[in-house]
Amino acid sequence: MTFSRREFLKNSAAAVALSAIGGPALAASGPQTAEKWVKGVCRYCGTGCGVLVGVKGDKAVEVRGDPNNHNAGLLCLKGSLLIPVIYAEDRITEPLIRRGGKKSPLEKVTWDEALEFAASRFREAIKSKGPDAVAYYGSGQALTEESYLANKIWKAGFRTNNVDGNPRLCMASAVAGYLTTFGKDEPMGTYNDFDSATCFFIIGSNTSEAHPILFERIAKRKQSSPEVKVIVADPRRTNTSRIADMHIFFKPGTDLALLNGMAHVILRDEMDNNRFHQRYVIFMDNEGKPKTFEEYKAFLADYTPAKVQEITGVPADTVEKAAKIFAESSASLSLWCMGINQRTRGVWANNLIHNLHLITGHIGKKGASPLSLTGQPNACGGVRDTGSLAHLLPAGRMVANEQHRKEMEKFWGVPEGTIQPKMGHHTVALFEAMAKGDVQAVFIHCTNPAHTLPHLNKHTKGLETAFVAMTECFMDAETVKYADVVFPAAFWCETEGVYGCTERRYALTEQAIKPMGNSRPVVQILMDFAQKAGVDPKLIPYKNAADIWEEWRTLSKGSPYDFYGITRERLKKASGIKWPCPTEDHPGTNLRYVRGEDPLVPKDHPNPISFYGRPDGKVVVYLRPHQPPFEPADADYPFVLTTGRVIDHWHTATMTGKVPELKKAYPSAYVEINPQDAAKLNIRNGDQVVLETKRDKMTFPARVTDTCMPGLVFCPFFDKNKLVNRLFHDATDAASREPEYKICSTKVYKQA
Ligand SMILES: Nc1nc2c(c(=O)[nH]1)N[C@H]1C(S)=C(S)[C@@H](COP(=O)(O)OP(=O)(O)OC[C@H]3O[C@@H](n4cnc5c(=O)[nH]c(N)nc54)[C@H](O)[C@@H]3O)O[C@H]1N2
Ligand SMILES: Nc1nc2c(c(=O)[nH]1)N[C@H]1C(S)=C(S)[C@@H](COP(=O)(O)OP(=O)(O)OC[C@H]3O[C@@H](n4cnc5c(=O)[nH]c(N)nc54)[C@H](O)[C@@H]3O)O[C@H]1N2
Ligand code: SF4
Ligand SMILES: [Mo]
């Protein structure tokens, strides 16, 4: 849908006035310059803010918040500064190849030559070692149509399940958490819950920097309703804790004890919701053995507030208070992100958050929900829902399940037995297999692994060894150094496709301008590549992204992901629709699993809630003991190093680094260190400080601040000149295989 300028101004006058964070940056080009407005979604985070792109002639000139989407016209600074990214000087506009191996220079070639160069290497790899010699490494930033298509090409076309991507580094633990507890992935709540919640329990999420527009909504809610309580549990005193009634500092990696401690207090003081858990919950231990409620209580006996204080460092009465606020509020909403997921016990930590909701009944009603925040704009819709990971198939199906494989083979029109029963390599294993030569050719799309994988010194070997074909928009992405072929990708509003954000909301970005230079939409690149690489053309009968959406929507029909009602036409009109949405007249779902709200629950269901993800309708409270992180601090490496984000940069800064306002705010990496530690080590602000881990050592300027608790140091990971991931191990969660980027041990000392 395009808007005339007049319509736009009419719709958004109030919203623009509110656009406090986006405001100043918008002044540069001014609304008067845009001739039309094209609807889309912000390129960056999993908040999924709606945008309107202002176009003049053949150029995009301005970005504004969509007043009709959940963000009500607001954008954060980086969202409002997307225009200069499109026109960055290092945009890749021609196909590039390295003819003479990794050390030779990249040369401009025709599309045909680049595609054939890549395809021939894939054909050779498959011929010499079989289908598992090739792989796809994708992204939660790729469009849904791209991920769905790549998944189909690799799993049904090449016949390998080596399809993984950066959501493995990000949301895998949340996925496994929802699956183990509820039997189905994706949250049951939405952002609407923010307006009814009276307790926000924010754990391991720096919402204010990583999901700024959601944070604004929480802050506003708190301001207008003083009874609302905000609890922030994080080993750093981040900007998010600015609005907290209670900030719980704890030793990194001890969340499991804290969460069990809160459950202990809730049951001890009978603050649980007996009727709720008797009706809907079963109890299970780590081996999947059923347990009784009494056994669960006995298990929690180990987590008295005093014991929790010993493990976590949180004062016992803080544990008591947090439990009481959570249990006794009228509606508690938990929000979490990488502080919980990027952990060797990330899945367990997810389960323990769900436990708190299930024993108190804070679920299935407005404002009460365990709502995992998604990082990337399309990790939910594009990767989790389409099943573009090594163990998954579309719409909640699993590679290991014969029935599921048969269903997909039938739908895709390929012979039975086409889809391999063995799971593919998860990310860390994939790069290991590339280094060993087991995987010989990889197609990398919309992600920058040479910067973001853990234990980089080890895993860049995979990129050095395997043949790497990749899509990219920007020349300065670290992975380009390892590429054998670079396909120039149309960027964001130069093409069209659907994103699905945190709240199960699908929204369409429409094409606003032409792809720059010779760049092309990635669905086109994937189809041309697949055909040259020998994939049966019958598998890829599409003219464009809209055709792929049509197939995917049809496939969802009758599944627990049903969004058959979300047609392309509806997406053009609406600013996002939340699934389940089985019919074209269905408005979308806010409270999943709730009778009368979720269309997949029969209207005459005997219970007000139906957890249809599990066969018996009963969801699971797990008895998960506390376990320490993989590499806690010790006598030789006495500090914990943690990594994460800053508000003004997106991951590897290939985009935000091009915007002067953002670059100026954070020009380069640094290390945050607590004043007590700094004093002991004679470190002052700006001093060069060495971080030395078991893998490597690097130097950063010090920021002496009480953000980190004593014993903890923090580095952001956006800076390609300081690749902090060289310091990290690559230990992963046993179930989700997500790496523990949040904790490794390190020495800290002033550079001599
Ligand atoms: N500005 C900006 N926003 C982004 C992104 C970006 O690059 N830049 N990326 C997006 C993506 S993909 C993601 S995944 C999200 C990530 O969003 P967040 O997870 O909110 O951000 P992080 O900075 O990775 O880490 C979150 C917090 O985890 C805390 N933490 C560290 N160790 C522990 C621990 O042991 N326990 C607990 N409970 N917490 C701990 C850190 O102190 C930090 O405050 O952000 C999304 N939004
Ligand atoms: N130390 C540390 N490491 C981490 C994390 C952490 O917390 N700490 N977090 C992890 C997490 S949660 C995540 S999600 C990952 C993110 O890691 P990555 O996905 O590797 O990082 P990005 O910078 O988002 O990479 C996106 C790439 O796609 C390119 N690109 C941008 N737009 C387009 C487009 O339209 N088409 C194409 N084809 N390419 C495009 C960008 O230039 C960039 O090179 O990092 C992980 N690594
Ligand atoms: S909060 Fe996220 S989606 Fe919204 S404008 Fe900012 S970066 Fe974009
Ligand atoms: Mo992420």
Side-chain angles (χ1 to χ4, degrees):
M1 173 173 46
T2 58
F3 297 75
S4 70
R5 184 176 150 242
R6 185 205 290 256
E7 275 168 330
F8 173 74
L9 291 175
K10 195 177 76 196
N11 274 334
S12 64
V16 172
L18 268 174
S19 179
I21 358 184
L26 293 172
S29 41
Q32 63 283 5
T33 58
E35 287 159 356
K36 62 171 183 178
W37 296 90
V38 181
K39 191 167 61 62
V41 187
C42 172
R43 169 62 188 77
Y44 294 119
C45 84
T47 302
C49 295
V51 299
L52 297 170
V53 180
V55 178
K56 184 179 187 197
D58 58 0
K59 287 216 139 191
V61 290
E62 191 180 351
V63 176
R64 294 209 161 207
D66 179 353
N68 299 318
N69 211 318
H70 70 80
N71 51 310
L74 292 174
L75 296 176
C76 74
L77 190 61
K78 64 185 172 309
S80 72
L81 287 172
L82 269 160
I83 298 298
V85 181
I86 306 176
Y87 300 105
E89 276 180 7
D90 73 333
R91 274 295 301 271
I92 304 175
T93 55
E94 300 291 337
L96 305 168
I97 67 168
R98 264 184 242 279
R99 263 181 238 278
K102 302 273 181 189
K103 296 254 152 58
S104 65
L106 281 167
E107 295 169 47
K108 270 191 218 168
V109 290
T110 63
W111 269 103
D112 229 37
E113 191 172 352
L115 287 162
E116 178 51 32
F117 190 69
S120 66
R121 293 298 295 266
F122 271 66
R123 289 196 306 264
E124 282 161 27
I126 294 169
K127 202 166 155 206
S128 69
K129 287 200 79 150
D132 287 339
V134 301
Y136 170 82
Y137 185 66
S139 173
Q141 300 164 61
L143 295 164
T144 303
E145 295 84 346
E146 297 165 356
S147 296
Y148 173 82
L149 175 64
N151 201 26
K152 182 178 181 186
I153 290 172
W154 264 258
K155 289 182 183 158
F158 293 130
R159 300 189 61 217
T160 176
N161 294 323
N162 285 338
V163 172
D164 221 57
N166 62 12
R168 182 72 68 183
L169 314 175
C170 178
M171 301 313 297
S173 298
V175 174
Y178 280 118
L179 275 174
T180 44
T181 299
F182 297 98
K184 281 280 169 267
D185 187 23
E186 300 279 359
M188 47 292 298
T190 68
Y191 303 153
N192 289 5
D193 291 317
F194 286 47
D195 305 333
S196 318
T198 49
C199 164
F200 289 86
F201 180 54
I202 304 177
I203 179 162
S205 151
N206 184 3
T207 326
S208 117
E209 302 206 48
H211 297 87
I213 295 300
L214 294 182
F215 182 74
E216 283 293 306
R217 192 150 164 184
I218 303 169
K220 271 191 205 137
R221 164 101 180 112
K222 187 162 166 55
Q223 216 169 22
S224 64
S225 310
E227 79 278 11
V228 169
K229 293 278 181 288
V230 177
I231 305 173
V232 173
D234 196 304
R236 291 167 61 228
R237 190 184 286 109
T238 60
N239 204 37
T240 306
S241 43
R242 199 161 42 90
I243 60 161
D245 298 277
M246 180 187 274
H247 180 103
I248 309 179
F249 258 142
F250 53 93
K251 280 191 208 127
T254 61
D255 319 52
L256 296 161
L258 173 70
L259 293 163
N260 276 334
M262 287 171 67
H264 171 103
V265 174
I266 289 168
L267 296 190
R268 184 200 65 198
D269 294 354
E270 297 181 350
M271 295 185 287
D272 56 321
N273 183 338
N274 222 309
R275 277 187 48 182
F276 184 91
H277 63 74
Q278 277 174 5
R279 190 186 244 179
Y280 294 113
V281 169
I282 54 171
F283 300 85
M284 250 185 222
D285 69 9
N286 279 338
E287 279 76 52
K289 281 205 212 88
K291 294 278 155 183
T292 62
F293 176 60
E294 292 310 318
E295 284 170 316
Y296 173 54
K297 262 172 96 166
F299 161 82
L300 290 176
D302 279 349
Y303 298 93
T304 60
K307 182 83 184 291
V308 171
Q309 174 167 352
E310 258 172 54
I311 303 172
T312 62
V314 179
D317 73 317
T318 303
V319 181
E320 304 258 358
K321 273 192 213 136
K324 193 169 160 63
I325 295 172
F326 183 99
E328 297 200 328
S329 87
S330 59
S332 289
L333 184 69
S334 295
L335 303 172
W336 69 98
C337 204
M338 292 308 117
I340 290 291
N341 292 349
Q342 288 174 339
R343 303 275 301 284
T344 42
R345 282 299 172 201
V347 179
W348 290 10
N350 272 265
N351 292 139
L352 294 188
I353 294 172
H354 297 316
N355 282 2
L356 292 181
H357 289 267
L358 294 175
I359 59 174
T360 55
H362 279 302
I363 188 165
K365 55 184 188 183
K366 282 184 185 169
S369 204
L371 181 61
S372 133
L373 295 173
T374 298
Q376 298 177 90
N378 201 24
C380 284
V383 176
R384 291 159 72 171
D385 302 351
T386 68
S388 313
L389 289 171
H391 62 301
L392 296 177
L393 290 169
R397 295 181 179 85
M398 311 295 276
V399 159
N401 182 316
E402 188 182 358
Q403 182 58 32
H404 290 175
R405 291 197 303 278
K406 280 191 180 149
E407 285 165 15
M408 286 315 305
E409 286 159 350
K410 186 156 176 244
F411 185 82
W412 281 337
V414 293
E416 254 184 39
T418 298
I419 301 174
Q420 299 294 315
K422 207 178 101 216
M423 288 190 301
H425 292 300
H426 60 81
T427 297
V428 164
L430 173 64
F431 284 82
E432 280 170 351
M434 283 158 58
K436 274 197 273 175
D438 292 343
V439 170
Q440 297 186 336
V442 65
F443 189 111
I444 297 176
H445 172 42
C446 208
T447 177
N448 192 3
H451 185 136
T452 53
L453 290 173
H455 203 336
L456 269 183
N457 293 348
K458 173 178 166 194
H459 289 299
T460 45
K461 294 213 174 65
L463 292 164
E464 283 162 11
T465 312
F467 178 85
V468 174
M470 69 183 288
T471 65
E472 222 347 302
C473 300
F474 305 101
M475 206 55 201
D476 69 345
E478 197 61 17
T479 310
V480 170
K481 289 185 187 159
Y482 301 86
D484 293 279
V485 183
V486 184
F487 296 122
F491 179 64
W492 183 51
C493 65
E494 295 171 352
T495 178
E496 68 161 59
V498 177
Y499 274 169
C501 70
T502 294
E503 59 165 357
R504 289 177 280 106
R505 177 194 291 268
Y506 286 156
L508 177 70
T509 292
E510 293 185 61
Q511 182 178 2
I513 51 173
K514 284 211 283 283
M516 184 170 290
N518 238 333
S519 67
R520 288 184 181 172
V522 171
V523 291
Q524 192 60 52
I525 301 175
L526 281 168
M527 287 195 290
D528 292 345
F529 163 76
Q531 202 152 353
K532 281 193 194 290
V535 169
D536 183 351
K538 283 209 286 296
L539 269 182
I540 38 176
Y542 323 103
K543 284 189 304 298
N544 51 32
D547 288 350
I548 300 173
W549 179 260
E550 194 56 24
E551 177 174 313
W552 173 214
R553 164 179 94 92
T554 309
L555 171 54
S556 79
K557 194 175 179 175
S559 80
Y561 289 70
D562 201 330
F563 61 92
Y564 184 66
I566 307 187
T567 61
R568 205 78 169 179
E569 284 313 304
R570 278 187 83 187
L571 285 173
K572 283 185 185 165
K573 293 196 198 103
S575 290
I577 304 171
K578 293 172 241 181
W579 62 268
C581 177
T583 52
E584 286 184 38
D585 57 359
H586 192 275
T589 301
N590 283 314
L591 294 170
R592 200 178 173 207
Y593 302 133
V594 175
R595 189 181 60 200
E597 295 272 343
D598 182 337
L600 306 186
V601 178
K603 287 206 171 64
D604 58 354
H605 196 279
N607 290 335
I609 298 180
S610 164
F611 289 113
Y612 50 76
R614 288 188 42 90
D616 51 3
K618 296 221 173 194
V619 289
V620 188
V621 162
Y622 282 98
L623 284 59
R624 305 285 201 207
H626 169 67
Q627 274 191 359
F630 172 75
E631 197 183 79
D634 60 22
D636 294 332
Y637 296 85
F639 282 82
V640 167
L641 166 62
T642 193
T643 58
R645 291 155 175 84
V646 294
I647 187 164
D648 287 330
H649 280 306
W650 179 256
H651 297 152
T652 65
T654 59
M655 295 180 274
T656 47
K658 310 286 155 59
V659 183
E661 291 88 336
L662 303 176
K663 171 107 181 140
K664 211 163 122 195
Y666 291 93
S668 53
Y670 52 85
V671 56
E672 278 176 3
I673 179 163
N674 184 279
Q676 288 175 31
D677 293 328
K680 274 189 228 150
L681 299 169
N682 192 25
I683 290 169
R684 276 174 308 188
N685 231 352
D687 283 352
Q688 291 295 320
V689 171
V690 182
L691 299 187
E692 181 179 341
T693 70
K694 288 175 194 154
R695 273 80 38 197
D696 209 340
K697 61 179 175 182
M698 292 171 76
T699 310
F700 298 87
R703 277 200 189 175
V704 179
T705 138
D706 65 357
T707 305
C708 280
M709 64 191 298
L712 179 69
V713 292
F714 166 84
C715 282
F717 69 96
F718 65 81
D719 189 348
K720 66 178 282 186
N721 297 314
K722 300 255 182 209
L723 290 172
V724 67
N725 288 14
R726 284 170 32 199
L727 298 174
F728 257 81
H729 57 73
D730 63 351
T732 59
D733 181 287
S736 72
R737 295 299 176 192
E738 176 159 343
E740 191 159 59
Y741 290 108
K742 286 295 175 262
I743 299 165
C744 82
S745 65
T746 185
K747 295 180 189 183
V748 179
Y749 51 92
K750 192 165 150 175
Q751 194 179 34

